[in-house]
Amino acid sequence: MTLFLCHMLDSGAAGLAAYGGGAAPLAGKGEDPFDSGMWDLHRAEYLGDPAGWQADRGMRVLAPRAAEDPAHVPVIVDATDVQGQVRRIVVTIDYSPLPLALVFHPGRAKPVLGFGVKYEIAGPIRATALADGVPARMGGAFVDAMGGGCTAPAAAHARPDWQEGFGQMRGRLWPATGRLRVSIRHPMDTGLADGIPAHHLTGLRLLDGQGDLIASVDLHEPIEENPALTFTLPPDLAAGPVRIEARDTNGYSFAGEVTA
Amino acid sequence: MISRRQALIGGTAALMLPLPARPAAPEYRLSPQQVADGVWLIEGARDSFGPRNGGAICNIVMLATHAGAIVIDTGGTARHGAALRRFADQKLGGVAASFNTHHHPDHWFGNQAFADRPIHVLPMTARLQAGNAQALSDGLYRILGGWMSGTAPLPGNPLPAGDGFGAGGRDLRLLALSGHSQADLALVDRATGTLIAGDLLFLDRAPSFPDADADMWRASLDLLAGLPASGIVPGHGPFARDSRAFVQTRAYLDGFHDRMARAADLGLAPSEALAAGPMPDFVGLGANPEEYRRAVIQRWRDFEDQALPLIGGSV
Ligand SMILES: [Zn+2]
């Protein structure tokens, strides 16, 4: 079962199936379906070298086969079919100069997250689910890209009025499906572009009407400029309201609220 | 304009170094057909850029005149341009002048082979060609490999204001439009009434949207549809005597717009809209689903802000 919403478009379910449904290529136990040298390294560095990890076609990752725009590569991950209560989903990009894209703590939300990343070099993007009492489960997709995503300056810097609208938050809640989408206008500077220091969002969280935490995401440099995030909430929380809070490396804070 | 890398690939280094042991780039095979009196169409593959077609994906039109051919679009690589030039030289008495309908590379990366004669473009097209040559070329070298060898993009010369052009006894009406890109040139051959629409019209091949402005595009279609035409050459796809290309291009623009607006309004993420694939009526078009997927990425932000109200900001 997947919580992807492709089926809401005409023949979208067939389209999703034809696209492979977000499942990684088949691999044997303990084998990397992408056969890439970076996985061992990143598994140790960003996942604490978990014993018994496995590639899992139930850890779905939808991403374009070719980046088209290396500054905005849209991705959505769905760990609904991963066994156990998923506590964290760690997203890494194999050949990025900054491989760690985000860590998602679904908490009381569904283990589904949409986001966009910058891509520097063709290679796999991976989502690894860490669930209670279950070995780490990795899924992913190969994205062809010709680079410039992380080292190019944000498009905003090309405009003299780039700070106008900075921090602007847009969002909406769809109670029927539990969808919540939020976007924040932010340059997400990686620090790798000439003369532009790092300045990016570091985290975003969702809070319920009582102010209690629903879910949170730790955000890192590879996240796209003006990022949009997609969540899925269970019915009780999808009734809203949901408060959204975010912060960045320069001490700015951002907040907004969506209601049903 | 020409990078060191391009100069290296196209210039002295390629001539002086011994050739490495790699397969020679395959040849371009042209199948010109005369679709109206003195109007030659060399149809492109109804596909995306790829190693199978060598970038020969757009339609090339040559109009025979007493002074040689008027060439409309010059191909996707230097070698494609050279093959087209050979046809013009051998069958049509050489080249009188060339046009590039717009700045997308499949339409003008063959300019080098026509550089000894005037190459006319809309002024905005000239600027876009110069500004984007490097990025477009880098992308195509990566996709096409050896097919691109020797290609160093050469922008055209801005046309003076005016809506007519003549050479060797043939007269053209020029229409400066936009919508598929920021500047789209359409031409009408007055002798035969053939409309050469550039990428404002597609037929049996999915339209591409990297620089599209749907409203401007529709307005341009309205204007072109009002012209009397005996036959229509779309930018991609077959020659037709009826209005199919208009019907199909409009339906695709509207269908894509509706699908994106609906996806954004239902709370889909762009990756979901992409994976859902094209509108059912257009799944079988040439270059789909790839062109649809590219379009979702290129155009998603136009729809996303509409669907997401302002809810907050910096605090
Ligand atoms: Zn075009």
Side-chain angles (χ1 to χ4, degrees), chain B residues 22-47:
Chain B
R22 58 172 185 159
E27 285 302 310
Y28 288 92
R29 289 205 184 78
L30 310 180
S31 321
Q33 48 169 151
Q34 195 170 181
V35 295
D37 188 22
V39 180
W40 291 84
L41 168 63
I42 298 124
E43 201 190 320
R46 290 174 211 166
D47 214 335

Side-chain angles (χ1 to χ4, degrees), chain B:
Chain B
M1 216 108 62
I2 294 168
S3 74
R4 241 177 327 176
R5 176 176 156 206
Q6 286 163 347
L8 207 69
I9 292 165
T12 50
L15 294 174
M16 289 164 63
L17 294 173
L19 281 173
R22 58 172 185 159
E27 285 302 310
Y28 288 92
R29 289 205 184 78
L30 310 180
S31 321
Q33 48 169 151
Q34 195 170 181
V35 295
D37 188 22
V39 180
W40 291 84
L41 168 63
I42 298 124
E43 201 190 320
R46 290 174 211 166
D47 214 335
S48 304
F49 282 104
R52 279 215 313 252
N53 55 48
I57 57 172
C58 85
N59 287 339
I60 313 291
V61 173
M62 295 196 194
L63 303 167
T65 85
H66 304 312
I70 300 170
V71 178
I72 298 156
D73 287 334
T74 61
T77 67
R79 294 175 57 248
H80 187 205
L84 293 164
R85 178 63 190 257
R86 273 196 298 280
F87 172 73
D89 287 346
Q90 287 166 9
K91 296 282 167 33
L92 302 177
V95 170
S98 304
F99 288 86
N100 302 148
T101 55
H102 64 295
H103 78 285
H104 293 157
D106 41 328
H107 299 263
W108 68 279
F109 269 29
N111 277 1
Q112 282 158 283
F114 300 88
D116 58 325
R117 307 294 300 144
I119 301 175
H120 303 293
V121 301
L122 293 172
M124 170 69 88
T125 300
R127 287 198 289 280
L128 291 165
Q129 286 176 327
N132 292 288
Q134 182 67 63
L136 295 170
S137 166
D138 286 350
L140 283 191
Y141 266 100
R142 200 163 172 282
I143 296 169
L144 298 177
W147 290 100
M148 275 287 281
S149 66
T151 303
L154 181 72
N157 302 304
L159 277 162
D163 61 1
F165 176 85
R170 201 139 198 151
D171 285 316
L172 296 177
R173 178 173 175 193
L174 308 182
L175 298 115
L177 303 169
S178 69
H180 167 70
S181 75
Q182 298 88 330
D184 297 294
L185 178 65
L187 310 92
V188 178
D189 171 39
R190 291 189 196 271
T192 61
T194 307
L195 167 63
I196 301 141
D199 280 6
L200 289 168
L201 287 175
F202 282 73
L203 181 56
D204 299 340
R205 197 276 193 195
S208 71
F209 288 71
D211 299 299
D213 177 323
D215 289 338
M216 296 297 295
W217 196 335
R218 286 189 193 96
S220 294
L221 290 177
D222 290 345
L223 190 146
L224 289 180
L227 302 175
S230 67
I232 295 166
V233 182
H236 299 256
F239 172 82
R241 299 210 172 271
D242 56 25
S243 61
R244 267 182 305 153
F246 281 102
V247 173
Q248 208 183 76
T249 305
R250 273 208 193 90
Y252 197 93
L253 282 172
D254 294 348
F256 180 77
H257 181 279
D258 291 352
R259 195 168 181 84
M260 291 305 100
R262 182 170 161 77
D265 196 48
L266 287 168
L268 270 69
S271 40
E272 292 171 310
L274 183 151
M279 302 71 81
D281 289 350
F282 299 107
V283 169
L285 287 188
N288 256 350
E290 294 79 11
E291 202 62 76
Y292 167 83
R293 293 176 188 159
R294 297 177 60 212
V296 172
I297 294 174
Q298 290 155 352
R299 302 265 65 97
W300 180 257
R301 293 278 166 154
D302 303 349
F303 298 90
E304 186 165 80
D305 277 1
Q306 300 285 318
L308 302 180
L310 267 178
I311 57 161
S314 187
V315 289

Side-chain angles (χ1 to χ4, degrees), chain A residues 1-3 56-60 78-84 86 111 137:
Chain A
M1 177 207 158
T2 168
L3 292 175
D56 183 346
R57 289 162 62 81
M59 178 65 247
R60 294 190 174 84
D78 180 356
T80 311
D81 275 353
V82 170
Q83 194 194 339
V86 175
R137 302 295 167 131

